[in-house]
Each structure stands twice: as structure tokens, then as C-alpha cells.
Amino acid sequence: MSFFATAEHERERLQYFASPEGRDDLYQYNQKERRTVLEVLEDFSSVQMPFEWLVQLVPPLKRRAFSISSSHLAHPNQVHLTVDVVSWTTPYKRKKKGLCSSWLAALDPQDVTYIPCWIHKGGLPTPPPSLPLVLVGPGTGCAPFRGFVEERALQSETNSVAPIIFFFGCRNEDIDFLYRDFWLSHSQNNGVLSEAKGGGFYVAFSRDQPQKVYVQHKMREQSQRIWNLLAQGAAIYIAGSSTKMPADVTSAFEDIVSKENEVSREDAARWIRSLEKYGRFHVEAWS
């Protein structure tokens, strides 16, 4: 960019950013602020870069990966996605929006829009109807489990199915309780998430009270119900943010096994690891 800048002060600034001395300032200006190529070009308006240079230097947009949140059995000609519309404020108080999620949110459902997509086999295998499930999916981590519950509800109409316990978490009940009516409908009237059928649906609203409550707190409250299913051969599925959540949830499972099976914490941890070895412990996490 400095090579093509016609304004001297812009050329000097760009050369400084490219120097070892300017590395920290470049990080604050660019990476910390998550500036796009377009924003940088707008800031340095005297840069007249030839188009053939631009297309060689600018990386292509990354493909976005989303978990399918619908059952093929329930919606054979559709794919449902659960997408969080990304927005944040930068350190310099600039409002930023996610590129893909904001574009998807702005589409008109009445319009026909063609979107290139690829469907890959996910990291969470579809469970057979006879397998009891313990699901943990805070936030958009609930996406794949919506498909699981849809499928099992359909299967239950003609065959007996194993129970599902699902732990969902979000910040506020009134703001981000995703698919509220869907979960509640299946947790009542002998639905596949109902306690009457051996399952359960438990929600942690982390910001609706002075003390933060997360899914692992609700799991410990239902310690015996979880252990009963695990003792019957249930599989564990965890999906959601890749920050602390998977480790905290795994730790909660270890506490539950230690308490209910009356074994040491170390033995409980080994038992949980054995579930992974035998295909009964699955994690799908993303940043």
C-alpha cells in the first residue's frame, strides 16, 4: 500500500506500520480493531492500487461452518441453520457486525436467493432411537440437538425410543432463549424430553439473577438422573463455544460420576475417558 500511496503522510504512516518499530501500533490499528480490507483502503484514500495487485493480495473470504439444526426425516428437502448475528464494539468504540451472519439476517424470506453451500459429515454422529442421550448445548450449541429431538419425536410416533436429557443455557430468558416453544412442547405431555419418559429439559439463565448460573450447575442438580441414564448406556453430546464450556461441562460429568458411583475423582475421569473410547462421548466446539 505504501508503494501506491500518493499522499506523503499516508505513505510514511504505512511504511511505519510495515517496520519493526511500528509492529505494536499496527496490531492496535488493524488486528485489535478487526479492520477489513475495505476499511483500511478507506482510511488511506490516496492509495491507488491496481486491481490485479489487489486481487492477488487480498485473501478470499473464509467459508462459514454451521451445524445443521433440523432432522432430515422431519424436513427431507430443507436444511435449517441456527446463526448468531455477530456484533461487537471495538476497543476504539467502533460498532462492528459479522459479515456473513449480518448478510444472512438481512435476506428477505420472500426472495429467492441462491447461496453456495457444502454439506459435510459433522462431528456428532446421529444417534439411533434406542440410545439414551445426555445433551449439553448452551447458546447456539443447541443447534444439532434440535435435529436430534425432532427426529426422535417422529420416531416415537411408531416405535419406542430412549429418553433424552437436555441442558440448555443462555444469558437471559426474555432475550436469547432459543427455540423456547420447541423445547417446552417436547418436555411436556409425555414428549421425548419429558421427565415422565425418563428424560428432562433444564435451562440455565446465567444473567437473570445476581449469581451466575451455568449448565454445569443445572447438571449437578440433576446428578442422579444423569447417572441413571449413563448407567443404562447413554451417550454424552456437548456442543457450543470452545472457550471454557467443554472443559467445565466435562468436569461436571466427572463430579457426577464420582458422587453417584462412589468412586474417586481420578477413577471418574478415567470412566468418562472410556466413554470417548467406546463412542459414547462426543464434543463439537467452535470459536
Side-chain angles (χ1 to χ4, degrees):
M1 287 181 67
S2 67
F3 184 82
F4 294 110
T6 56
E8 186 176 351
H9 70 283
E10 290 188 0
R11 183 168 62 252
E12 290 176 353
R13 185 67 174 166
L14 291 164
Q15 287 172 344
Y16 168 71
F17 276 154
S19 70
E21 296 78 15
R23 186 176 301 167
D24 289 343
D25 285 339
L26 174 62
Y27 176 77
Q28 293 294 329
Y29 166 78
N30 194 46
Q31 286 92 325
K32 202 83 183 287
E33 285 289 295
R34 301 278 294 276
R35 293 185 194 272
T36 65
V37 172
L38 180 59
E39 288 173 329
V40 174
L41 289 172
E42 288 174 338
D43 284 350
F44 295 90
S45 57
S46 78
V47 173
Q48 301 298 315
M49 186 181 293
F51 181 72
E52 59 269 22
W53 279 63
L54 183 67
V55 295
Q56 291 184 64
L57 293 172
V58 175
L61 289 176
K62 293 181 180 179
R63 296 176 182 175
R64 269 54 169 187
F66 301 102
S67 296
I68 294 175
S69 55
S70 56
S71 159
H72 180 69
L73 187 65
H75 308 281
N77 298 312
Q78 299 178 10
V79 168
H80 298 184
L81 302 179
T82 303
V83 182
D84 183 19
V85 181
V86 179
S87 64
W88 74 97
T89 303
T90 72
Y92 289 121
K93 308 302 180 186
R94 298 186 314 125
K95 298 290 185 182
K96 295 278 289 181
K97 292 183 177 181
L99 186 63
C100 179
S101 62
S102 297
W103 180 77
L104 287 171
L107 294 177
D108 186 341
Q110 303 303 317
D111 293 339
V112 175
T113 304
Y114 293 96
I115 304 173
C117 66
W118 298 260
I119 296 179
H120 299 287
K121 186 176 181 180
L124 300 178
T126 303
S130 59
L131 180 66
L133 301 176
V134 181
L135 311 177
V136 185
T140 53
C142 71
F145 305 144
R146 178 177 178 264
F148 285 10
V149 172
E150 271 190 334
E151 188 134 322
R152 191 152 293 190
L154 274 178
Q155 292 165 339
S156 70
E157 294 176 3
T158 54
N159 297 290
S160 61
V161 296
I164 302 176
I165 289 182
F166 177 39
F167 294 89
F168 172 73
C170 62
R171 287 174 175 264
N172 306 104
E173 181 176 7
D174 296 334
I175 298 174
D176 46 6
F177 192 171
L178 301 177
Y179 302 118
R180 172 187 180 133
D181 294 341
F182 175 82
W183 307 123
L184 294 179
S185 68
H186 288 291
S187 64
Q188 300 163 358
N189 303 321
N190 291 322
V192 293
L193 289 176
S194 66
E195 292 185 355
K197 290 291 188 180
F201 174 63
Y202 308 100
V203 189
F205 302 114
S206 62
R207 301 297 193 274
D208 278 353
Q209 60 283 310
Q211 182 135 3
K212 292 178 182 176
V213 177
Y214 297 113
V215 285
Q216 55 266 32
H217 298 124
K218 294 295 181 179
M219 290 169 59
R220 291 184 174 96
E221 290 176 8
Q222 303 299 326
S223 176
Q224 188 173 11
R225 297 182 69 84
I226 290 174
W227 173 246
N228 288 343
L229 280 193
L230 291 178
Q232 296 171 30
I236 294 171
Y237 285 75
I238 303 169
S241 169
S242 63
T243 51
K244 288 182 60 183
M245 187 277 294
D248 289 344
V249 168
T250 301
S251 179
F253 276 118
E254 292 170 356
D255 288 343
I256 289 167
V257 172
S258 175
K259 173 188 172 185
E260 300 296 338
N261 202 26
E262 298 180 348
V263 297
S264 69
R265 191 65 163 61
E266 292 73 20
D267 286 343
R270 280 193 288 271
W271 194 85
I272 290 294
R273 285 197 296 272
S274 74
L275 293 184
E276 186 173 2
K277 178 181 176 182
Y278 292 109
R280 290 172 49 202
F281 188 95
H282 307 279
V283 178
E284 184 173 84
W286 53 83
S287 58

